Amino acid sequence: MCGIVGYIGYREAWPIVLKGLKRLEYRGYDSAGIAIINEGGQNIYKKVGKVAALEEFAESQDKTGTIAMGHTRWATHGVPSDRNSHPHTSNNNKLSIIHNGIIENYATLKEELISRGHEFKSDTDTEVLIHLIEEIQKIEQTDLLEAVRLALKEVTGAYAIVIMDRENPDQLIAARKGSPMVIGVGKGEYFIASDATPIIEYTKNVIYLNDHEIALVTKDDLLVKRLDNVVQSPLIQELELKLEMLEKGGFDHFMLKEIYEQPRSIRDCMRGRIYPEEGKVQLGGIKEFVEKLKNIDRIIIVACGTSWHAGLVGEYLIEEYARIPVEVEYASEFRYRNPIITEKDVVIAISQSGETADTMAAIEMAKERGATIFGICNVAGASIPRLSHAGVYTHAGPEIGVASTKAFTAQVTVLTLMAFYMAQQKGTITQSKLISLLTELDSIPDKIQIALESNDIIKEVAAKIKDSRNCLFLGRGSGFPVALEGALKLKEISYIHAEGYPAAEMKHGPIALIDEEMPVVFIATQNSSYEKVISNIQEVKARKGKVIAIVTKGDTEVKKMADYCIEIPDADEAFLPLLATIPLQLLSYHIAVMRGCNVDQPRNLAKSVTVE
Ligand code: F6R
């Protein structure tokens, strides 16, 4: 988490860095700060709260200068406060630093530095690093680049850092390990940021810095070397991102825009990958592993949060169609077990951001043990696709709302394609079945469009249950991960306690919670478990629970029992998660808005969880 932005060039740096921080606010919004150098010296402004608070605080200050760097924080070490905000400075205040990540051995380094006379002004791990750099520069009598290189060899943990020296206003130093960093290459200017969004309106040419690389950036030149001192020739890539993708486009919130984008994002995800008339799925990203896929013993899916829910949907689909056993693991648990992994395993890592620390660690462990890694990721060029042997991008476009919506449905789409692809390669599906499934899949974006048309009814339901203190989401089969996802969406943006459960498990415990105060949302579409879900609905009604049911259009049975019904179009069971998720996203959204919550930036959360 945390977002970083740096600029060096010929333009006024403050507006560039400030705007960049606003774009990166999804990464954390506990505090913000900017350091800027001009002829008068270095000015540092920092403030607890959002970037807007910093903007107001610095309104009448001197903000001139053509070199600057800024930070938006998601607190780890030290409470959110002005003094813990970045940038942090060295003991002599000459050097300043911004940092995304965690310096794990900061406590021992700090003790050593204190014994050498250093005084600390914050509780952060980051401040320790800049003091260490200062100390090494003093002892080794080296230039700043070399001091940073030597200091980074002493630290453990993750970092994307930018460093400025007020006595050397012609350079920025940047480095990364485990946290993302993009360098924008302009003419007579360079930009540094956690992702490409602060850079896109100035240049399309970018370099993704690799782990263990350090860069010396001046306005006309860039030197990249590895921590072992070997100079690198960085690859300049062209961004596909468009500026309008980063704006709300008339919607009140990014989350709502992203919910409504789903017909488009799913179409983009399938483009060039399905050929319904021929009954063919093409996944260029994993095609060189096709022989391996025919002979694997099992698939392990690793992910966190919403991406883990997509993994559970993937389990149903891959087992159903490709007949390969699948295990779905929380990356954070998997990495600290001693799991049995062999060279015959394929590990699918799912991540919207491609930067989630636990998922990355799980990949590294599985790779060491010989597994083949497939990444499913939304952000191009992020760490997870780079760590993977092969993979498939979701192509959902930038997701800015902290609560994941269109990324989830795109992940499910990719997993559906993978299941069909593997089934086709292994011969576990007939050609006629594949043609019929692909033909229907092709129409799913239109069906999502129809599902979105229930918005007004969903708003009415939201008004009825917005003051609840708890809410239960129940589903069976692939409706279970949908229930989990519905519950997660509600709790993260509206702060209502919500649980997702397999409907049949209700009687083993959660049924004790049911009374007239408890809304229970059922995924009750007409599929193989329809009759059984109806029985579960009756169990809730018998205890005076309030039932909200997601039903197939034209349903009459559930309507007799439920307090409120929300219809979605009929579809093959394989596509139920893609459709049933839509009303749940809208339900959470409207409840959160009605409760006055900050939908796009819910408290305590960050979009990119780069710490474990
Ligand atoms: C919930 C949400 C999180 C993420 C999780 C994993 O709406 O967004 O639960 O799904 O932090 O993030 P990624 O997919 O970036 O690895």
Side-chain angles (χ1 to χ4, degrees):
M1 0 270 247
C2 300
I4 59 173
V5 189
Y7 175 79
I8 184 164
Y10 57 89
R11 310 183 208 222
E12 279 303 306
W14 178 273
I16 295 171
V17 173
L18 188 80
K19 196 169 186 186
L21 289 182
K22 287 185 178 165
R23 294 246 165 90
L24 292 179
E25 230 174 358
Y26 72 87
R27 302 179 67 87
Y29 27 85
D30 287 331
S31 67
I34 295 180
I36 189 157
I37 301 179
N38 59 27
E39 276 144 20
Q42 174 168 253
N43 293 313
I44 299 185
Y45 306 111
K46 37 196 204 175
K47 205 72 208 138
V48 69
K50 302 230 158 122
V51 179
L54 169 71
E55 188 175 14
E56 199 186 312
F57 170 71
E59 202 178 348
S60 51
Q61 308 287 337
D62 175 9
K63 303 187 287 286
T64 56
T66 54
I67 170 170
M69 61 184 191
H71 185 270
T72 178
R73 179 168 187 248
W74 187 83
T76 58
H77 295 59
V79 295
S81 64
D82 291 350
R83 65 190 278 278
N84 285 333
S85 307
H86 299 216
H88 292 287
T89 51
S90 55
N91 211 40
N92 57 13
N93 291 319
K94 204 166 86 66
L95 307 176
S96 51
I97 186 170
I98 51 172
H99 169 216
N100 167 30
I102 288 185
I103 305 301
E104 285 166 3
N105 58 340
Y106 81 100
T108 35
L109 292 170
K110 189 170 184 177
E111 233 172 76
E112 169 73 20
L113 288 162
I114 289 172
S115 73
R116 288 167 184 256
H118 285 250
E119 284 173 22
F120 288 89
K121 303 177 275 290
S122 79
D123 312 313
T124 64
D125 50 332
T126 306
E127 192 188 1
V128 176
L129 179 55
I130 197 69
H131 280 240
L132 177 68
I133 292 166
E134 174 188 21
E135 187 66 17
I136 289 177
Q137 203 180 8
K138 196 169 81 192
I139 293 170
E140 301 289 333
Q141 290 295 305
T142 63
D143 62 15
L144 184 57
L145 181 67
E146 181 61 2
V148 174
R149 190 181 75 82
L150 294 173
L152 292 178
K153 290 178 86 128
E154 284 189 33
V155 302
T156 54
Y159 53 79
I161 51 169
V162 185
I163 291 165
M164 289 198 326
D165 177 354
R166 75 168 182 223
E167 287 172 12
N168 252 317
D170 301 325
Q171 65 172 45
L172 289 171
I173 290 176
R176 75 157 271 184
K177 184 191 150 216
S179 300
M181 179 173 280
V182 188
I183 299 180
V185 183
K187 288 200 176 77
E189 59 184 348
Y190 282 92
F191 306 80
I192 302 172
S194 301
D195 70 24
T197 59
I199 297 175
I200 182 68
E201 57 204 274
Y202 309 104
T203 175
K204 277 190 164 288
N205 296 328
V206 295
I207 291 164
Y208 292 97
L209 212 63
N210 292 310
D211 276 352
H212 310 289
E213 284 182 348
I214 176 166
L216 173 67
V217 191
T218 65
K219 73 184 175 52
D220 299 307
D221 206 5
L222 173 73
L223 168 76
V224 177
K225 52 160 94 172
R226 283 203 318 244
L227 286 191
D228 61 8
N229 232 348
V230 177
V231 174
Q232 304 295 99
S233 321
L235 172 75
I236 299 183
Q237 303 184 36
E238 197 171 316
L239 287 173
E240 281 176 17
L241 196 68
K242 294 195 181 74
L243 197 53
E244 58 272 24
M245 291 174 172
L246 308 176
E247 278 149 12
K248 284 192 198 143
F251 286 90
D252 288 343
H253 298 96
F254 280 110
M255 183 181 176
L256 191 61
K257 175 188 173 221
E258 288 156 9
I259 291 173
Y260 273 87
E261 271 175 353
Q262 289 174 107
R264 199 246 339 121
S265 56
I266 289 177
R267 240 178 237 121
D268 287 349
C269 179
M270 296 192 298
R271 183 161 302 121
R273 292 173 171 166
I274 62 165
Y275 299 88
E277 304 89 56
E278 297 165 48
K280 199 168 99 189
V281 181
Q282 205 162 280
L283 291 174
I286 58 171
K287 80 165 186 276
E288 55 175 295
F289 289 87
V290 80
E291 284 310 315
K292 175 156 190 129
L293 282 172
K294 285 183 192 162
N295 296 307
I296 52 174
D297 288 343
R298 65 169 176 172
I299 289 174
I300 304 168
I301 297 181
V302 293
C304 302
T306 286
S307 299
W308 183 78
H309 297 157
L312 291 177
V313 177
E315 178 182 23
Y316 282 89
L317 294 166
I318 295 170
E319 291 195 342
E320 172 72 23
Y321 293 103
R323 306 305 296 151
I324 302 170
V326 180
E327 289 167 24
V328 188
E329 303 265 4
Y330 282 119
S332 53
E333 290 296 317
F334 181 75
R335 63 179 289 199
Y336 285 116
R337 282 210 326 266
N338 188 9
I340 299 155
I341 305 167
T342 73
E343 282 163 17
K344 287 181 92 180
D345 289 327
V346 165
V347 170
I348 301 180
I350 310 174
S351 174
Q352 187 287 129
S353 63
E355 302 293 343
T356 302
D358 285 320
T359 310
M360 281 167 60
I363 293 176
E364 269 156 10
M365 186 180 74
K367 231 171 144 178
E368 270 168 30
R369 296 177 186 203
T372 302
I373 317 293
F374 291 172
I376 298 182
C377 186
N378 195 37
V379 177
S383 299
I384 286 177
R386 289 195 286 156
L387 273 178
S388 306
H389 295 112
V392 183
Y393 278 115
T394 47
H395 294 313
E399 190 179 65
I400 293 165
V402 165
S404 191
T405 52
K406 65 174 179 171
F408 172 76
T409 48
Q411 289 165 344
V412 171
T413 305
V414 166
L415 287 158
T416 311
L417 297 178
M418 277 187 165
F420 293 167
Y421 181 73
M422 292 184 228
Q424 172 188 272
Q425 300 302 333
K426 287 190 71 201
T428 51
I429 192 166
T430 63
Q431 193 62 8
S432 58
K433 178 73 181 167
L434 191 55
I435 289 176
S436 117
L437 284 169
L438 291 178
T439 307
E440 184 161 0
L441 181 58
D442 203 26
S443 72
I444 290 296
D446 297 333
K447 292 189 177 175
I448 290 182
Q449 192 64 50
I450 297 168
L452 288 165
E453 284 161 17
S454 296
N455 187 46
D456 289 346
I457 299 161
I458 296 169
K459 220 166 162 175
E460 281 168 31
V461 178
K464 303 277 186 213
I465 63 169
K466 71 176 185 3
D467 297 319
S468 307
R469 297 190 56 209
N470 300 290
C471 189
L472 205 53
F473 288 74
L474 301 175
R476 296 182 82 133
S478 61
F480 164 52
V482 173
L484 287 176
E485 177 58 9
L488 179 62
K489 284 296 85 98
L490 186 64
K491 65 186 129 187
E492 69 183 330
I493 62 168
S494 74
Y495 318 139
I496 294 175
H497 170 246
E499 295 274 1
Y501 243 80
E505 278 292 302
M506 177 184 64
K507 56 187 167 297
H508 299 289
I511 198 162
L513 295 168
I514 294 180
D515 61 15
E516 56 276 16
E517 304 277 289
M518 175 68 110
V520 185
V521 180
F522 275 95
I523 317 303
T525 47
Q526 278 160 10
N527 53 51
S528 53
S529 48
Y530 180 63
E531 304 294 338
K532 300 206 182 297
V533 172
I534 287 185
S535 307
N536 299 136
I537 293 176
Q538 268 162 347
E539 287 156 14
V540 171
K541 282 314 297 173
R543 286 154 186 90
K544 300 199 171 67
K546 220 181 279 169
V547 170
I548 296 123
I550 310 300
V551 297
T552 306
K553 194 169 174 49
D555 182 282
T556 49
E557 281 306 295
V558 178
K559 277 190 187 143
K560 289 183 205 149
M561 289 170 256
D563 297 81
Y564 312 102
C565 280
I566 302 165
E567 290 188 336
I568 57 171
D570 191 16
D572 188 282
E573 200 158 342
F575 311 120
L576 160 74
L578 287 173
L579 294 171
T581 303
I582 308 297
L584 302 188
Q585 294 171 342
L586 285 169
L587 186 65
S588 307
Y589 170 79
H590 289 302
I591 292 174
V593 171
M594 286 169 193
R595 286 166 69 93
C597 299
N598 187 335
V599 173
D600 283 334
Q601 295 175 341
R603 70 182 176 211
N604 304 337
L605 290 174
K607 185 127 193 93
S608 193
V609 186
T610 56
V611 296
E612 64 168 291

